[in-house]
Amino acid sequence: MSSVNDAVRILHAYVRKTGNPHMSLENFIGFAVKFVERFKEEQPDLVDLAAGDGAQRILEYVKKLEEQNWLTTERGPGDEITSIYYRSFFAAEIKAWYTKIGEDRELPFPNDEQFKLPVPSGLVKTVQVDQSVMEWLSNENADPQQILHLRFPDNVRDMYITIDILQNQLPTLALGRIREYLRSEKNASYMESKLRAVFRTRDVLVHELIQTALTKPEEVIQTVVKPNEFQFHFWTQLSSIIVKDFSKKNDKLDSEHGYCQAAYMLGYLSVYHKGVHQKVQERESTIKLITDKLVQPPFLFTIPQVYEFSDDKGVPITKKLPREQINDLIEEMMTPQEDEAVSKLVSINTDNNRAMIIHRSQYIPVLLKRLSKLSRTIQQLTIGRMTDLLYDNISKPWMKDDEEFDTYLRDLVFEHDSVVFAMLEFRVLFLVVDGQELPAVQREAVYRFFDRQRSTMMPWRVILSLDRERLLKDAKLRLPLWMLIPIIRGIVRLFMKKRPKRSEASASDATAMALSAATSVQSRAEQLKEYKEKIAQLTNRYLTASGQSPQARLEELHKQWNPLIEKQARTNLVEDVQSLCRDTLRKMRLTARKIPPTPERIRELSTRIAGNSAFDRIRDRQAFQSYLELYMLQILSK
């Protein structure tokens, strides 16, 4: 059965016979039937074109060729095709000629002399080789079948070529003609001596490259399309020498025209491919730089942070690679390959839908490290909260029930490290673990997070390795001794009914009061008065305006250091800060009653609290430490 390619061959035969690419549809169909009759024994697949519906089949092929831009048609009434203009005939003839050159290097490059039918000027774009051939070499959007008429300087003969051949076959064609030049007479020895004078310390390299050009045509092409510095200069110098030798000669032989044409094209090809190769190398080095940076601390990056990467000299990568290509690279690295379960880069959506990326090789180490640090922080905060609540005789649901405790932990994880929260998403984490080779220790550490039967994550208390009952016991151990003795605790509660709760007065103050009641020791009024005066003096250092109250100053400082926007999250953070302050002061309260703390001591305590990893997100450290110091003085003043 025939195909559309058979229709192209018949069209070509028609134009070659008639010398005219214009034809009526009726004449072409008639020619096709005769063509089939003549060659039906040699080409039996064409028989269906001469059958009853052959004309209709030929018409369908013509329409397909028109869609593929091989030809144009004219239409009459009823939009019926009446005539055909086979515009691709000339490009096909040029292509056929270059195919012949591949078999016979002595054939000249094609111009009007090689064709019985002159190429119509409307189908041709004239190109001055020394002015604009580089533009056509790099034009990726041009029609591959577009015919170019190349014109050379120094009375070198012109030539036709299509863009497809120019961009894809020219290195082979030009080097083939240069090889014929080197093989002619003693040109190889002559050229070697000329080039040795240029490359005085590289005699061996010059000799080897000339020998490669003579004997290894496939290998020598790589020295043009992917040249090193020496190879680039070698070919540009060789081309220049050939052009100079023949440029002053008026009556050039056909072969000499071919040498000059090849030399000109080889020179421009060398410059073009040098630029392309250089860009490829720069892109590859920039890609390597990006991939290397992605596996270095801090491991987690936003896309804008990737744009800010720079090389060892401080040059931003955006100077070497456009942002669009950086985006393409990241997208490529975020797409799993056919043999991969997980992509090289993994995307994580943190709080406020802020997308971050991390390399898969760093996903588990970063997760385990941050999770360990977060677990210790939450443990410390939870024990502090439990201690405060127990002191105030308050019991929360999460202190009694594991499911409520999980909800409590979930909220704390999201609040204190939304990155860890996002990284513990079951589907993504499972793919990361299952899709790459991991050390056995890391793999086992992460496997305990999975509830494989339910295909989900284990409870937060398991992931964080936090036992509610154990934390509660630790919190009770921090309570004053009097709270553990029922009789004394009852006496203290009677006194505390007339005193503020823990949220307004420190536990240490209640401790001192309880011990005073239990042992019937009277406080020394004068010593207490002196103590409060010194605390007041220290407090005044933090007040910025006359008559400003400590509480007002605390609110002012709070607005400066608290980075959270959501109201409940802001409140929770303040509670954590205040809980740590009270916990820190608990052990020093008894001695503080007798000896007020010095400014240095308060500063030391605030620095210790501010250094807690839970508060790393706080940027205004000065306001934060001032808040801590003033708040501790407020506790000590009560």
Side-chain angles (χ1 to χ4, degrees), residues 187-441:
N187 285 339
S189 300
Y190 164 75
M191 186 58 67
E192 185 172 337
S193 66
K194 282 278 193 179
L195 291 173
R196 280 183 174 182
V198 177
F199 305 102
R200 296 184 181 276
T201 61
R202 299 188 175 184
D203 293 2
V204 174
L205 291 177
V206 168
H207 177 75
E208 288 180 349
L209 193 46
I210 287 179
Q211 291 304 308
T212 302
L214 286 167
T215 60
K216 300 177 181 178
E218 296 299 326
E219 185 176 327
V220 78
I221 289 176
Q222 297 304 309
T223 66
V224 175
V225 298
K226 294 181 180 179
N228 58 33
E229 202 64 27
F230 167 73
Q231 292 164 347
F232 166 70
H233 289 293
F234 174 92
W235 290 118
T236 53
Q237 286 293 330
L238 181 144
S239 301
S240 179
I241 291 170
I242 293 176
V243 169
K244 285 181 180 179
D245 284 351
F246 293 108
S247 61
K248 296 179 181 179
K249 188 175 180 180
N250 292 326
D251 298 325
K252 299 181 184 67
L253 301 175
D254 287 345
S255 60
E256 292 170 345
H257 278 289
Y259 300 154
C260 289
Q261 290 168 329
Y264 268 114
M265 297 308 300
L266 183 59
Y268 287 110
L269 279 170
S270 298
V271 174
Y272 169 72
H273 284 292
K274 169 69 171 176
V276 171
H277 186 54
Q278 203 164 27
K279 288 180 180 178
V280 170
Q281 286 182 317
E282 287 181 358
R283 185 176 187 274
E284 289 176 350
S285 65
T286 303
I287 290 173
K288 185 178 185 303
L289 172 66
I290 293 173
T291 53
D292 288 347
K293 292 276 188 182
L294 287 171
V295 294
Q296 296 174 8
F299 304 114
L300 282 153
F301 304 94
T302 61
I303 302 300
Q305 286 174 332
V306 175
Y307 295 153
E308 294 173 2
F309 286 171
S310 59
D311 61 16
D312 295 337
K313 297 180 181 178
V315 179
I317 60 169
T318 49
K319 297 287 185 181
K320 300 181 176 183
L321 209 61
R323 292 193 176 193
E324 294 76 12
Q325 292 189 26
I326 296 175
N327 292 337
D328 292 342
L329 170 64
I330 292 174
E331 184 176 351
E332 178 183 336
M333 294 181 71
M334 290 177 65
T335 304
Q337 302 301 310
E338 291 183 2
D339 57 343
E340 293 179 334
V342 63
S343 56
K344 290 183 176 65
L345 290 181
V346 182
S347 178
I348 300 170
N349 289 322
T350 63
D351 53 338
N352 299 323
N353 289 323
R354 185 170 60 120
M356 304 190 78
I357 54 175
I358 183 171
H359 197 277
R360 66 186 178 193
S361 65
Q362 299 301 318
Y363 194 102
I364 302 304
V366 168
L367 172 62
L368 294 177
K369 184 176 180 180
R370 291 179 74 122
L371 188 61
S372 175
K373 187 176 181 181
L374 180 63
S375 178
R376 292 193 299 270
T377 299
I378 291 178
Q379 179 182 19
Q380 187 176 6
L381 290 174
T382 301
I383 292 174
R385 285 185 181 180
M386 284 179 166
T387 303
D388 291 343
L389 291 168
L390 289 171
Y391 185 89
D392 289 334
N393 201 27
I394 297 173
S395 179
K396 296 284 188 180
W398 56 267
M399 296 170 65
K400 300 178 179 180
D401 182 76
D402 281 339
E403 290 187 4
E404 292 288 343
F405 187 57
D406 276 328
T407 303
Y408 162 83
L409 291 177
R410 178 188 181 280
D411 294 341
L412 272 185
V413 171
F414 183 79
E415 176 186 337
H416 287 279
D417 197 335
S418 59
V419 172
V420 168
F421 187 89
M423 293 178 79
L424 286 168
E425 199 274 317
F426 176 80
R427 186 186 64 84
V428 175
L429 183 59
F430 186 84
L431 288 175
V432 170
V433 175
D434 196 53
Q436 62 178 325
E437 292 295 327
L438 289 173
V441 175

Side-chain angles (χ1 to χ4, degrees), residues 94-161:
I94 291 171
K95 183 178 180 180
W97 188 267
Y98 277 101
T99 301
K100 291 180 181 178
I101 290 177
E103 300 169 356
D104 184 358
R105 296 293 181 186
E106 293 184 0
L107 287 176
F109 290 119
N111 60 15
D112 284 330
E113 294 180 7
Q114 276 71 50
F115 301 122
K116 297 179 180 179
L117 196 63
V119 181
S121 58
L123 298 179
V124 175
K125 292 188 181 296
T126 301
V127 177
Q128 299 295 333
V129 171
D130 57 345
Q131 296 177 13
S132 57
V133 73
M134 296 285 285
E135 296 176 12
W136 292 101
L137 281 169
S138 59
N139 192 334
E140 297 179 355
N141 299 319
D143 178 6
Q145 301 305 314
Q146 173 64 55
I147 300 172
L148 302 180
H149 190 190
L150 303 184
R151 294 187 177 275
F152 297 87
D154 304 319
N155 295 318
V156 175
R157 186 181 294 157
D158 60 323
M159 59 183 275
Y160 288 118
I161 196 169

Side-chain angles (χ1 to χ4, degrees), residues 10 77 174 219 300 322 355 366 370 451 467 476 488 495 574-575:
I10 297 173
E219 185 176 327
L300 282 153
V366 168
R370 291 179 74 122
D451 185 340
D467 183 86
K476 288 178 180 179
I488 298 177
F495 283 92
V574 171
E575 288 180 0

Side-chain angles (χ1 to χ4, degrees), residues 372-636:
S372 175
K373 187 176 181 181
L374 180 63
S375 178
R376 292 193 299 270
T377 299
I378 291 178
Q379 179 182 19
Q380 187 176 6
L381 290 174
T382 301
I383 292 174
R385 285 185 181 180
M386 284 179 166
T387 303
D388 291 343
L389 291 168
L390 289 171
Y391 185 89
D392 289 334
N393 201 27
I394 297 173
S395 179
K396 296 284 188 180
W398 56 267
M399 296 170 65
K400 300 178 179 180
D401 182 76
D402 281 339
E403 290 187 4
E404 292 288 343
F405 187 57
D406 276 328
T407 303
Y408 162 83
L409 291 177
R410 178 188 181 280
D411 294 341
L412 272 185
V413 171
F414 183 79
E415 176 186 337
H416 287 279
D417 197 335
S418 59
V419 172
V420 168
F421 187 89
M423 293 178 79
L424 286 168
E425 199 274 317
F426 176 80
R427 186 186 64 84
V428 175
L429 183 59
F430 186 84
L431 288 175
V432 170
V433 175
D434 196 53
Q436 62 178 325
E437 292 295 327
L438 289 173
V441 175
Q442 291 183 11
R443 186 176 294 276
E444 292 302 319
V446 177
Y447 273 165
R448 75 178 185 84
F449 300 159
F450 297 141
D451 185 340
R452 291 176 173 271
Q453 292 182 347
R454 300 181 181 179
S455 297
T456 185
M457 301 298 293
M458 294 293 283
W460 286 100
R461 62 185 184 275
V462 176
I463 295 172
L464 294 168
S465 298
L466 295 178
D467 183 86
R468 177 182 55 82
E469 294 182 354
R470 182 176 296 176
L471 294 180
L472 198 56
K473 289 179 181 179
D474 290 342
K476 288 178 180 179
L477 291 175
R478 293 191 179 190
L479 292 172
L481 183 62
W482 62 267
M483 293 195 71
L484 304 177
I485 303 173
I487 296 175
I488 298 177
R489 185 168 66 242
I491 297 172
V492 172
R493 292 302 180 194
L494 290 175
F495 283 92
M496 291 185 66
K497 287 181 179 179
K498 299 179 180 181
R499 304 257 319 172
K501 283 190 175 182
R502 174 74 171 184
S503 58
E504 301 174 5
S506 71
S508 300
D509 192 31
T511 304
M513 181 179 64
L515 290 172
S516 176
T519 59
S520 300
V521 177
Q522 296 181 349
S523 64
R524 298 175 182 178
E526 293 181 1
Q527 187 178 17
L528 181 59
K529 181 180 179 181
E530 181 182 355
Y531 168 82
K532 288 197 172 186
E533 287 176 354
K534 290 186 177 181
I535 293 293
Q537 290 174 4
L538 288 173
T539 300
N540 287 334
R541 294 185 177 190
Y542 297 90
L543 306 182
T544 57
S546 177
Q548 185 182 38
S549 68
Q551 189 60 36
R553 179 58 177 156
L554 284 172
E555 288 296 327
E556 188 178 279
L557 290 169
H558 170 239
K559 292 178 181 178
Q560 295 178 26
W561 64 260
N562 198 328
L564 302 180
I565 298 175
E566 201 273 319
K567 184 176 179 181
Q568 186 58 47
R570 287 174 64 87
T571 302
N572 290 341
L573 183 57
V574 171
E575 288 180 0
D576 293 341
V577 169
Q578 293 179 352
S579 176
L580 277 178
C581 287
R582 292 193 295 270
D583 192 53
T584 302
L585 289 175
R586 186 174 291 114
K587 293 183 180 179
M588 65 167 284
R589 183 60 190 276
L590 291 176
T591 56
R593 280 300 187 187
K594 298 176 181 178
I595 304 175
T598 62
E600 292 74 18
R601 178 61 170 156
I602 289 293
R603 168 63 64 171
E604 177 190 344
L605 293 173
S606 70
T607 301
R608 186 192 308 171
I609 297 171
N612 191 296
S613 60
F615 308 133
D616 287 346
R617 78 184 90 178
I618 296 173
R619 304 299 180 197
D620 194 338
R621 309 302 291 183
Q622 184 176 354
F624 183 49
Q625 286 204 225
S626 296
Y627 179 92
L628 294 172
E629 292 161 17
L630 181 56
Y631 182 74
M632 285 189 287
L633 289 171
Q634 284 298 99
I635 293 175
L636 294 172

